[in-house]
Amino acid sequence: MDSAASTSTTRIVTDVPIPYRFEKDTTAKAIADRFVGLEPGAATGVRVTVAGRIMLNRPQGKLTFATLRDETGEIQLFGMAARTDDFEGLTKCRLGDWVGATGEVITTRRGELSVQVDSWVLLAAAERGFGDKWKGLSDPDLRYRQREVDLWANTEVRTTLQLRSKILQAMRTRLWSDGYTEVETPMLHPIPGGAIARPFSTHHNALDAEFYLRIAPELYLKRLVIGGFEKVFEIGRNFRNEGLSPRHNPEYTSIELYQAYADYEQMMTLVEDLVAGIATDVLGTTEISYQGRELSLAAPWRRATMSELIAEATGLEFTVHSPREALAAACTKAGVSVQPGWGTGRLLTELFEATAEADLWQPTFVLHHPKEISPLSRSHRDDDLITERFEAFVCGRELVNGFSELQDPAEQRARFEEQARDHASGNDEAMLVDEEYLRAMEHGLPPTGGMGLGVDRLVMLLTNTANIREVIAFPTLKPGHNERAPIEVDEPEPE
């Protein structure tokens, strides 16, 4: 057969006009589930109407065998010249054509569960090819740019995105049942805030003002707590003007939640219970394998400080109170390019990232981050140079960030101003002074615990996926190369 890519846009395989709608009454999976174990050559007397894409068509004289794939799976269409309306047209359907078909559920003499087609209709003609139907679409750049093709050519991609939906459903259901209210906060911010990151900027024509795509919803969510919401969460997009990698996409999804009257200890318990619960909901277990290594998501997770983990990795004892010169020397030895303005808190963090972070395979809460790198976290009740902050690491990568929230507006202003000085000196990831948030804090923020979890990374973990692009329907790509020639497909002869 000729490739679908080589056909003209006027190809007509049937004289029946394409309908505006089509009513199907079952799916490929439903048929397979209902008639599992049906013996060869059986006729059920059950008529069904199915719809999907043709992924294989093998005309053999007065018979044709076509594989129809829908969202749930595949079913064979069995056409007979003596029985099927417009049999010749059915034999001309090509890889990727959408069709609807009605007929009796049977098994062929070889035992293949099939719909014996009485009537069928073309729902859309595929004028471009799909890639090799046996090997799928393999070019990574082409797969991400033409995801609509990738989803049909590589069914595991659709399975991953379907599982992502189930993960989000489980996340919402668990939080709703725990009394959390789901909210939506602005994506356009007059001042970038809520995290240390480089923002995207855009111009608002009507207001003649610069706005920023949000890097985090944190400050708005805490304003809702100030307004009386005791438990809130938001699942949504954030944007950080940073590089792309197998772990990073500039546009990504997170969940952030805040709970009044809670602290970071309660947030850690919530995190481990939520992640373990979601794994149980969607996979049926907390014991999983990721990239060939075993992993347990069951609570409780390990808790350890940065200093303890550095000591385990290097044998060196350092804290935020250590002499700066000693910390700087250790960082340099570990390959860190030390900057003159870094204090002991930043140096301790860099040393942890260089020596210990990558080895945290089993879920681990890394505790007590230095105040220097935690401008929104409340100081630790026993040590003013560290904060009641944690990061949860799994498989050597950060999954969650959380803390007891800073309540004091005067201290928050001082930390914002320190960040603003850092920004003015050239650090475009540092925060600015957010007067609206400071004004809100002056109305009183109760003791509050908060956390943010990277949804894309959680999906990677639960789907055993190494590249973040695989779990995002349309990942960020370098512009261009959109006008590709159609994918040429030579359909092999059936075996």
Side-chain angles (χ1 to χ4, degrees):
M1 303 175 83
D2 295 334
S3 84
S6 65
T7 59
S8 71
T9 57
T10 58
R11 175 166 67 94
I12 299 175
V13 297
T14 177
D15 292 332
V16 178
I18 291 177
Y20 281 87
R21 61 186 291 175
F22 184 80
E23 299 288 345
K24 65 174 187 174
D25 58 22
T26 191
T27 65
K29 184 178 185 303
I31 294 172
D33 290 345
R34 180 177 177 183
F35 296 105
V36 62
L38 197 63
E39 65 274 10
T44 67
V46 176
R47 288 176 58 80
V48 296
T49 298
V50 293
R53 281 192 188 269
I54 297 294
M55 302 305 294
L56 176 67
N57 200 0
R58 297 174 293 146
Q60 296 180 4
K62 295 183 180 297
L63 304 176
T64 192
F65 302 88
T67 299
L68 182 86
R69 181 181 295 169
D70 65 14
E71 187 179 27
T72 68
E74 294 182 347
I75 187 72
Q76 179 169 271
L77 301 183
F78 173 45
M80 302 176 62
R83 176 168 180 158
T84 303
D85 293 344
D86 191 13
F87 172 78
E88 183 179 356
L90 182 60
T91 65
K92 294 179 180 178
C93 286
R94 296 174 177 172
L95 179 64
D97 283 351
W98 292 81
V99 302
T102 297
E104 182 183 1
V105 177
I106 65 164
T107 51
T108 63
R109 287 180 296 176
R110 293 188 176 183
E112 184 73 22
L113 189 63
S114 307
V115 175
Q116 184 168 299
V117 179
D118 293 326
S119 62
W120 71 280
V121 61
L122 180 70
L123 301 176
E127 305 300 341
R128 286 176 179 258
F130 265 60
D132 191 307
K133 61 178 165 290
W134 305 108
K135 298 178 181 179
L137 190 63
S138 58
D139 183 306
D141 184 74
L142 199 58
R143 287 184 52 230
Y144 301 136
R145 291 186 188 280
Q146 299 186 20
R147 186 65 102 182
E148 63 281 359
V149 177
D150 189 29
L151 289 167
W152 286 104
N154 301 311
T155 55
E156 66 275 9
V157 178
R158 190 162 73 249
T159 300
T160 295
L161 295 181
Q162 288 169 332
L163 189 57
R164 179 188 178 111
S165 177
K166 293 179 181 178
I167 290 168
L168 288 168
Q169 180 183 13
M171 184 180 292
R172 284 188 163 97
T173 299
R174 286 183 168 270
L175 291 174
W176 288 337
S177 67
D178 198 28
Y180 278 84
T181 300
E182 184 171 7
V183 297
E184 295 174 310
T185 62
M187 294 253 190
L188 289 176
H189 291 188
I191 293 176
I196 297 175
R198 183 183 297 112
F200 288 95
S201 63
T202 186
H203 187 77
H204 194 298
N205 290 336
L207 298 177
D208 191 23
E210 290 300 308
F211 278 77
Y212 302 88
L213 297 182
R214 76 174 179 199
I215 56 177
E218 176 169 342
L219 303 187
Y220 285 96
L221 290 171
K222 286 192 284 192
R223 287 170 67 178
L224 291 175
V225 175
I226 293 169
F229 283 89
E230 294 186 6
K231 290 183 173 182
V232 294
F233 78 93
E234 180 172 11
I235 299 174
R237 293 293 211 190
N238 299 316
F239 306 85
R240 301 191 179 182
N241 199 350
E242 300 164 351
L244 292 82
S245 79
R247 297 185 181 186
H248 298 89
N249 194 68
E251 177 183 2
Y252 71 98
T253 301
S254 77
I255 174 173
E256 288 210 18
L257 63 81
Y258 294 86
Q259 179 177 334
Y261 318 122
D263 67 359
Y264 78 132
E265 291 282 359
Q266 288 164 282
M267 287 296 104
M268 284 188 280
T269 299
L270 184 150
V271 166
E272 62 192 3
D273 288 345
L274 181 64
V275 172
I278 292 170
T280 301
D281 291 341
V282 300
L283 302 179
T285 181
T286 57
E287 310 305 306
I288 66 174
S289 176
Y290 184 76
Q291 301 300 296
R293 293 182 62 180
E294 299 307 307
L295 180 68
S296 175
L297 298 176
W301 295 0
R302 184 192 180 194
R303 289 159 167 76
T305 67
M306 273 191 182
S307 296
E308 290 169 343
L309 293 167
I310 291 171
E312 289 179 8
T314 67
L316 302 174
E317 300 286 344
F318 285 110
T319 72
V320 72
H321 298 283
S322 298
R324 186 186 184 282
E325 296 75 13
L327 270 168
C331 283
T332 299
K333 185 177 180 180
V336 176
S337 179
V338 175
Q339 301 302 308
W342 291 357
T344 58
R346 177 66 183 271
L347 290 168
L348 186 73
T349 304
E350 294 286 340
L351 185 60
F352 161 75
E353 292 177 355
T355 62
E357 179 179 295
D359 293 328
L360 300 177
W361 187 262
Q362 296 294 333
T364 302
F365 289 116
V366 180
L367 309 179
H368 303 162
H369 290 55
K371 183 187 293 187
E372 181 181 349
I373 62 155
S374 309
L376 298 169
S377 306
R378 188 170 182 175
S379 297
H380 193 279
R381 60 200 76 183
D382 297 324
D383 187 340
D384 192 54
L385 288 185
I386 60 175
T387 61
E388 296 198 347
R389 177 183 171 190
F390 66 87
E391 288 180 323
F393 284 83
V394 185
C395 302
R397 67 187 63 164
E398 179 194 345
L399 181 66
V400 185
N401 181 35
F403 35 84
S404 300
E405 304 297 331
L406 180 57
Q407 293 176 261
D408 184 348
E411 184 177 355
Q412 185 65 80
R413 178 178 291 279
R415 297 212 204 162
F416 276 160
E417 289 175 348
E418 183 178 353
Q419 285 281 309
R421 287 191 292 271
D422 194 19
H423 190 277
S425 68
N427 182 0
D428 54 4
E429 294 187 354
M431 296 182 187
L432 299 173
V433 178
D434 190 327
E435 293 290 350
E436 289 191 359
Y437 179 63
L438 291 171
R439 182 189 65 214
M441 288 188 73
E442 291 171 355
H443 290 286
L445 174 68
T448 299
M451 74 88 173
L453 180 152
V455 170
D456 304 318
R457 289 187 177 182
L458 179 61
V459 177
M460 290 173 66
L461 183 66
L462 297 183
T463 59
N464 192 21
T465 301
N467 193 319
I468 196 170
R469 292 184 177 186
E470 297 293 343
V471 303
I472 299 174
F474 297 97
T476 303
L477 301 170
K478 184 178 180 179
H481 309 291
N482 288 318
E483 293 303 319
R484 294 287 186 107
I487 306 166
E488 296 295 336
V489 181
D490 292 324
E491 300 195 25
E493 293 297 322
E495 297 179 357

PDB file of all heavy atoms in Angstrom, residues 141-142 145-146 477-485:
ATOM      1  N   ASP A 141      12.885  14.720  19.132  1.00  0.00           N
ATOM      2  CA  ASP A 141      12.434  16.084  18.853  1.00  0.00           C
ATOM      3  C   ASP A 141      11.093  16.066  18.126  1.00  0.00           C
ATOM      4  O   ASP A 141      10.179  16.832  18.454  1.00  0.00           O
ATOM      5  CB  ASP A 141      13.479  16.828  18.018  1.00  0.00           C
ATOM      6  CG  ASP A 141      13.094  18.277  17.797  1.00  0.00           C
ATOM      7  OD1 ASP A 141      13.198  19.070  18.755  1.00  0.00           O
ATOM      8  OD2 ASP A 141      12.681  18.625  16.675  1.00  0.00           O
ATOM      9  N   LEU A 142      10.965  15.173  17.168  1.00  0.00           N
ATOM     10  CA  LEU A 142       9.719  15.078  16.412  1.00  0.00           C
ATOM     11  C   LEU A 142       8.581  14.592  17.303  1.00  0.00           C
ATOM     12  O   LEU A 142       7.438  15.050  17.198  1.00  0.00           O
ATOM     13  CB  LEU A 142       9.913  14.128  15.233  1.00  0.00           C
ATOM     14  CG  LEU A 142       8.892  14.235  14.088  1.00  0.00           C
ATOM     15  CD1 LEU A 142       8.874  15.638  13.516  1.00  0.00           C
ATOM     16  CD2 LEU A 142       9.229  13.225  13.000  1.00  0.00           C
ATOM     17  N   ARG A 145       7.403  17.587  19.390  1.00  0.00           N
ATOM     18  CA  ARG A 145       6.783  18.645  18.586  1.00  0.00           C
ATOM     19  C   ARG A 145       5.452  18.199  17.997  1.00  0.00           C
ATOM     20  O   ARG A 145       4.561  19.019  17.785  1.00  0.00           O
ATOM     21  CB  ARG A 145       7.721  19.090  17.450  1.00  0.00           C
ATOM     22  CG  ARG A 145       8.946  19.824  17.937  1.00  0.00           C
ATOM     23  CD  ARG A 145       9.786  20.369  16.812  1.00  0.00           C
ATOM     24  NE  ARG A 145      11.020  20.896  17.349  1.00  0.00           N
ATOM     25  CZ  ARG A 145      11.150  22.088  17.920  1.00  0.00           C
ATOM     26  NH1 ARG A 145      10.095  22.874  17.995  1.00  0.00           N
ATOM     27  NH2 ARG A 145      12.303  22.491  18.411  1.00  0.00           N
ATOM     28  N   GLN A 146       5.338  16.927  17.713  1.00  0.00           N
ATOM     29  CA  GLN A 146       4.101  16.403  17.119  1.00  0.00           C
ATOM     30  C   GLN A 146       3.506  15.372  18.086  1.00  0.00           C
ATOM     31  O   GLN A 146       3.366  14.197  17.767  1.00  0.00           O
ATOM     32  CB  GLN A 146       4.381  15.792  15.748  1.00  0.00           C
ATOM     33  CG  GLN A 146       4.931  16.806  14.754  1.00  0.00           C
ATOM     34  CD  GLN A 146       5.065  16.242  13.357  1.00  0.00           C
ATOM     35  OE1 GLN A 146       4.445  15.251  12.998  1.00  0.00           O
ATOM     36  NE2 GLN A 146       5.890  16.875  12.551  1.00  0.00           N
ATOM     37  N   LEU A 477       9.972  23.642  23.950  1.00  0.00           N
ATOM     38  CA  LEU A 477      10.982  23.288  22.963  1.00  0.00           C
ATOM     39  C   LEU A 477      11.554  24.543  22.327  1.00  0.00           C
ATOM     40  O   LEU A 477      10.939  25.607  22.354  1.00  0.00           O
ATOM     41  CB  LEU A 477      10.373  22.402  21.868  1.00  0.00           C
ATOM     42  CG  LEU A 477       9.744  21.086  22.309  1.00  0.00           C
ATOM     43  CD1 LEU A 477       8.988  20.466  21.146  1.00  0.00           C
ATOM     44  CD2 LEU A 477      10.802  20.127  22.836  1.00  0.00           C
ATOM     45  N   LYS A 478      12.728  24.414  21.762  1.00  0.00           N
ATOM     46  CA  LYS A 478      13.320  25.512  21.023  1.00  0.00           C
ATOM     47  C   LYS A 478      12.440  25.842  19.819  1.00  0.00           C
ATOM     48  O   LYS A 478      11.998  24.937  19.111  1.00  0.00           O
ATOM     49  CB  LYS A 478      14.727  25.141  20.550  1.00  0.00           C
ATOM     50  CG  LYS A 478      15.467  26.260  19.838  1.00  0.00           C
ATOM     51  CD  LYS A 478      16.871  25.815  19.454  1.00  0.00           C
ATOM     52  CE  LYS A 478      17.616  26.932  18.737  1.00  0.00           C
ATOM     53  NZ  LYS A 478      18.995  26.516  18.373  1.00  0.00           N
ATOM     54  N   PRO A 479      12.137  27.131  19.584  1.00  0.00           N
ATOM     55  CA  PRO A 479      11.269  27.482  18.448  1.00  0.00           C
ATOM     56  C   PRO A 479      11.865  27.026  17.125  1.00  0.00           C
ATOM     57  O   PRO A 479      13.079  26.905  16.967  1.00  0.00           O
ATOM     58  CB  PRO A 479      11.190  29.013  18.521  1.00  0.00           C
ATOM     59  CG  PRO A 479      11.516  29.352  19.928  1.00  0.00           C
ATOM     60  CD  PRO A 479      12.508  28.316  20.372  1.00  0.00           C
ATOM     61  N   GLY A 480      10.971  26.788  16.187  1.00  0.00           N
ATOM     62  CA  GLY A 480      11.403  26.411  14.856  1.00  0.00           C
ATOM     63  C   GLY A 480      11.182  24.947  14.585  1.00  0.00           C
ATOM     64  O   GLY A 480      10.731  24.178  15.431  1.00  0.00           O
ATOM     65  N   HIS A 481      11.504  24.558  13.366  1.00  0.00           N
ATOM     66  CA  HIS A 481      11.395  23.167  12.925  1.00  0.00           C
ATOM     67  C   HIS A 481       9.963  22.657  12.983  1.00  0.00           C
ATOM     68  O   HIS A 481       9.722  21.467  13.095  1.00  0.00           O
ATOM     69  CB  HIS A 481      12.302  22.261  13.758  1.00  0.00           C
ATOM     70  CG  HIS A 481      13.708  22.734  13.849  1.00  0.00           C
ATOM     71  ND1 HIS A 481      14.546  22.736  12.777  1.00  0.00           N
ATOM     72  CD2 HIS A 481      14.393  23.245  14.899  1.00  0.00           C
ATOM     73  CE1 HIS A 481      15.725  23.222  13.159  1.00  0.00           C
ATOM     74  NE2 HIS A 481      15.650  23.538  14.436  1.00  0.00           N
ATOM     75  N   ASN A 482       8.999  23.568  12.916  1.00  0.00           N
ATOM     76  CA  ASN A 482       7.603  23.137  12.961  1.00  0.00           C
ATOM     77  C   ASN A 482       7.098  22.667  11.607  1.00  0.00           C
ATOM     78  O   ASN A 482       6.157  21.901  11.521  1.00  0.00           O
ATOM     79  CB  ASN A 482       6.720  24.273  13.470  1.00  0.00           C
ATOM     80  CG  ASN A 482       6.917  24.509  14.952  1.00  0.00           C
ATOM     81  OD1 ASN A 482       7.018  23.565  15.709  1.00  0.00           O
ATOM     82  ND2 ASN A 482       6.990  25.764  15.350  1.00  0.00           N
ATOM     83  N   GLU A 483       7.703  23.170  10.540  1.00  0.00           N
ATOM     84  CA  GLU A 483       7.240  22.796   9.205  1.00  0.00           C
ATOM     85  C   GLU A 483       8.043  21.607   8.699  1.00  0.00           C
ATOM     86  O   GLU A 483       8.884  21.724   7.822  1.00  0.00           O
ATOM     87  CB  GLU A 483       7.365  23.992   8.248  1.00  0.00           C
ATOM     88  CG  GLU A 483       6.415  25.132   8.583  1.00  0.00           C
ATOM     89  CD  GLU A 483       4.960  24.686   8.588  1.00  0.00           C
ATOM     90  OE1 GLU A 483       4.581  23.910   7.699  1.00  0.00           O
ATOM     91  OE2 GLU A 483       4.221  25.116   9.473  1.00  0.00           O
ATOM     92  N   ARG A 484       7.827  20.474   9.299  1.00  0.00           N
ATOM     93  CA  ARG A 484       8.485  19.249   8.865  1.00  0.00           C
ATOM     94  C   ARG A 484       7.715  18.638   7.700  1.00  0.00           C
ATOM     95  O   ARG A 484       6.504  18.749   7.609  1.00  0.00           O
ATOM     96  CB  ARG A 484       8.525  18.248  10.012  1.00  0.00           C
ATOM     97  CG  ARG A 484       9.390  18.669  11.190  1.00  0.00           C
ATOM     98  CD  ARG A 484      10.867  18.560  10.855  1.00  0.00           C
ATOM     99  NE  ARG A 484      11.680  18.827  12.034  1.00  0.00           N
ATOM    100  CZ  ARG A 484      12.330  17.881  12.699  1.00  0.00           C
ATOM    101  NH1 ARG A 484      12.269  16.636  12.316  1.00  0.00           N
ATOM    102  NH2 ARG A 484      13.054  18.193  13.757  1.00  0.00           N
ATOM    103  N   ALA A 485       8.452  17.958   6.852  1.00  0.00           N
ATOM    104  CA  ALA A 485       7.783  17.211   5.793  1.00  0.00           C
ATOM    105  C   ALA A 485       6.979  16.090   6.423  1.00  0.00           C
ATOM    106  O   ALA A 485       7.290  15.626   7.518  1.00  0.00           O
ATOM    107  CB  ALA A 485       8.820  16.631   4.832  1.00  0.00           C
TER     108      ALA A 485
END
